Amino acid sequence: MEKGLVLNTAYNDFILDADISNYLYKNHTKEVYKESTFTNRSYHFYDDEIDVWCDNDGRINTIRCASSCFYQGIELIGLPFQAFLSAICVLPDNYEQIYLLVNGRGQNQHVYDFETIGLQIWVWRQKVKTVLIYKVVEEEWWREKIEQT
């Protein structure tokens, strides 16, 4: 498999929608977050320097890269946001600003959703800080509508 980010599919050998048990032989830690409306399992894989979030059934739904993320030979973490836009040739679908405490200091990070390619990009001081990779799930009603035309 291609190494690095494969849009809407994988990062390195971690494949979206695959069962997490396929990767538990790797050096990792596990955390469980219990909220009032959902429970989320998160795994940090040390050698790959990524976090993987899973559904309740153990299937990978999101891969988080914060220290390194290669796409077509380009390191996205630290890349100026305008260069990122040039590299992927897609404009964001949504945008919001989120205030975070990082090492005891506040940061207003800009969060861009690229829903058509399954990416969420967190930007601070106009540079990419975090990449979230997820699988775009086509709505059933939309697919049926397309098939009818």
Side-chain angles (χ1 to χ4, degrees), residues 1-2 7 10 21 36 41-42 47 51-52 56 74 87 91 94-95 105-106 110 112 114 120 123 132-133 135 139:
M1 168 168 270
E2 182 180 335
L7 295 174
S21 64
S36 60
R41 287 188 287 163
S42 172
D47 297 336
D51 296 304
V52 174
N56 286 333
I74 300 169
L91 292 175
N94 296 305
Y95 161 81
R105 301 189 67 164
H110 303 268
Y112 298 90
F114 296 83
Q120 186 178 78
V123 175
L132 296 170
I133 305 157
K135 189 170 185 75
E139 301 261 350

Side-chain angles (χ1 to χ4, degrees), residues 3 22 24 26 30 38 40 44 52 83 116 121 126 132:
K3 290 292 186 179
N22 296 333
L24 296 181
K26 294 181 171 220
K30 175 183 174 182
F38 70 94
N40 187 26
H44 177 76
V52 174
T116 56
I121 306 300
Q126 301 179 26
L132 296 170

Side-chain angles (χ1 to χ4, degrees), residues 1-23 26 45 48 50-55 58-63 133-135:
M1 168 168 270
E2 182 180 335
K3 290 292 186 179
L5 168 61
V6 179
L7 295 174
N8 198 30
T9 304
Y11 186 76
N12 290 343
D13 59 343
F14 289 84
I15 300 170
L16 293 167
D17 205 36
D19 194 295
I20 192 64
S21 64
N22 296 333
Y23 306 98
K26 294 181 171 220
F45 289 89
D48 296 278
I50 61 170
D51 296 304
V52 174
W53 299 332
C54 297
D55 294 328
R59 306 204 73 71
I60 297 172
N61 63 31
T62 306
I63 302 167
I133 305 157
Y134 60 92
K135 189 170 185 75

